Amino acid sequence: MKKKLLIAVIALTLAAGVFAQTEADFGVTLNDAGDGVVITTYTGRTLAVRIPATIQGMPVKEIGERAFAFINATDGITSVVIPAGVTKIGNEAFSTQQKLTSVTIPDSVAEIGSRAFSGCMALTRIVLPKNLTVIEEETFIGCLSLVSATLPEGLTEIKSNAFQGCEKLTSVKIPDSVTAIGGSAFQNCYALTSLTLGAGIQKIGYDAFYYCPNLTTVTIPDSVEVIEFRSFDDKPTAFRGCAKVNLASQAALKRRGYTGSFTN
């Protein structure tokens, strides 16, 4: 009886992905400055990952390119806590981790690479760090379950395709510090209903909010100088496919130079 109970406990433990995490679970290298650790790979079996603040007695400062991307051995990590002191998350660092539901990013992080969280289809919420100034291309593209994204004051640019295809994102408040939104940055955000553009925004890229069919309210400041055209058809398409945008918002956009369609 005891033997059967022990086997059952072990089976449940394996199913839950509960294993003791050690420094040996992380492949590492020295950073360029020679004063900290760059995590290059993860080989552990723990699905809820807590990255250590130090490895081999040195501070962890970077999550390297593709460090956690495309990992199949663990059947997909479910959560990540990044320690204070990390300053950079590399390109595609967590790309395609389809079971990843939560990420804790400390304010020490000042750089998040392109496609860092692309294809993380179970990720529901993200709070971006206060020191981040740029959201790179395709950072959250294809995060189908992302409901909310908190953008920090001090952010200056949201690059192209950053949140494209975030189908469940319901509202976005762009901080006053942001001056530019890239092409297709929020394209195909089907659940988006309200948009508040901060007082500093100057440029909106082509297709930035293309086909957000439930968008009804857009708050746009007088600071907007450019709503980009597609290179091949001379028509602004930033809000095309946003057929539910109310008349007051349409009027405000037209006053800022938008001459494109709100329908398909």
Side-chain angles (χ1 to χ4, degrees), residues 5 24 29 43 97 106 114 119 123 132 144 158 172 188 203 209 238 243:
L5 182 60
T29 189
T43 58
Q97 277 298 325
S114 63
L123 187 64
L132 189 70
L144 304 182
I158 301 170
V172 178
N188 295 343
K203 185 174 88 170
F209 299 93

Side-chain angles (χ1 to χ4, degrees), residues 186-199:
F186 294 90
Q187 180 177 336
N188 295 343
C189 290
Y190 303 140
L192 189 64
T193 58
S194 65
L195 169 66
T196 302
L197 297 168

Side-chain angles (χ1 to χ4, degrees), residues 84-102:
V86 171
T87 59
K88 179 181 178 180
I89 298 172
N91 297 340
E92 296 187 326
F94 298 93
S95 181
T96 70
Q97 277 298 325
Q98 296 184 9
K99 294 185 178 180
L100 183 64
T101 60
S102 69

Side-chain angles (χ1 to χ4, degrees), residues 203-222:
K203 185 174 88 170
I204 299 173
Y206 66 88
D207 288 354
F209 299 93
Y210 172 61
Y211 203 65
C212 296
N214 289 298
L215 183 63
T216 58
T217 305
V218 179
T219 302
I220 186 166
D222 292 338

Side-chain angles (χ1 to χ4, degrees), residues 17-254:
V18 179
F19 300 94
Q21 195 170 41
T22 69
E23 289 187 3
D25 292 336
F26 301 90
V28 297
T29 189
L30 197 62
N31 66 353
D32 291 341
D35 61 358
V37 171
V38 179
I39 290 179
T40 58
T41 57
Y42 176 67
T43 58
R45 301 176 71 184
T46 303
L47 305 187
V49 178
R50 182 174 290 273
I51 297 172
T54 61
I55 293 179
Q56 297 180 33
M58 298 193 70
V60 175
K61 294 205 170 178
E62 298 180 23
I63 312 299
E65 290 191 9
R66 300 189 176 188
F68 291 84
F70 316 114
I71 295 173
N72 294 319
T74 61
D75 194 31
I77 58 177
T78 57
S79 65
V80 176
V81 177
I82 299 171
V86 171
T87 59
K88 179 181 178 180
I89 298 172
N91 297 340
E92 296 187 326
F94 298 93
S95 181
T96 70
Q97 277 298 325
Q98 296 184 9
K99 294 185 178 180
L100 183 64
T101 60
S102 69
V103 179
T104 302
I105 305 175
D107 286 334
S108 56
V109 171
E111 182 179 347
I112 298 176
S114 63
R115 298 186 65 84
F117 297 96
S118 63
C120 292
M121 295 192 294
L123 187 64
T124 57
R125 300 178 186 277
I126 193 75
V127 177
L128 293 172
K130 293 178 180 178
N131 285 324
L132 189 70
T133 57
V134 176
I135 300 177
E136 296 289 349
E137 294 91 344
E138 301 184 353
T139 301
F140 298 99
I141 189 171
C143 291
L144 304 182
S145 299
L146 192 67
V147 174
S148 71
T150 302
L151 311 185
E153 291 293 342
L155 189 71
T156 60
E157 184 177 4
I158 301 170
K159 291 192 176 181
S160 60
N161 307 96
F163 292 93
Q164 183 180 347
C166 293
E167 297 179 355
K168 294 186 178 179
L169 192 64
T170 57
S171 65
V172 178
K173 182 178 180 181
I174 309 296
D176 291 344
S177 53
V178 173
T179 60
I181 298 174
S184 299
F186 294 90
Q187 180 177 336
N188 295 343
C189 290
Y190 303 140
L192 189 64
T193 58
S194 65
L195 169 66
T196 302
L197 297 168
I201 194 76
Q202 297 172 12
K203 185 174 88 170
I204 299 173
Y206 66 88
D207 288 354
F209 299 93
Y210 172 61
Y211 203 65
C212 296
N214 289 298
L215 183 63
T216 58
T217 305
V218 179
T219 302
I220 186 166
D222 292 338
S223 59
V224 173
E225 298 173 356
V226 177
I227 301 178
E228 285 187 334
F229 290 77
R230 276 179 176 270
S231 60
F232 56 81
D233 66 7
D234 293 335
K235 291 184 179 180
T237 54
F239 294 91
R240 191 173 71 176
C242 301
K244 292 184 180 180
V245 171
N246 63 39
L247 295 179
S249 295
Q250 288 187 33
L253 285 163
K254 287 182 179 296

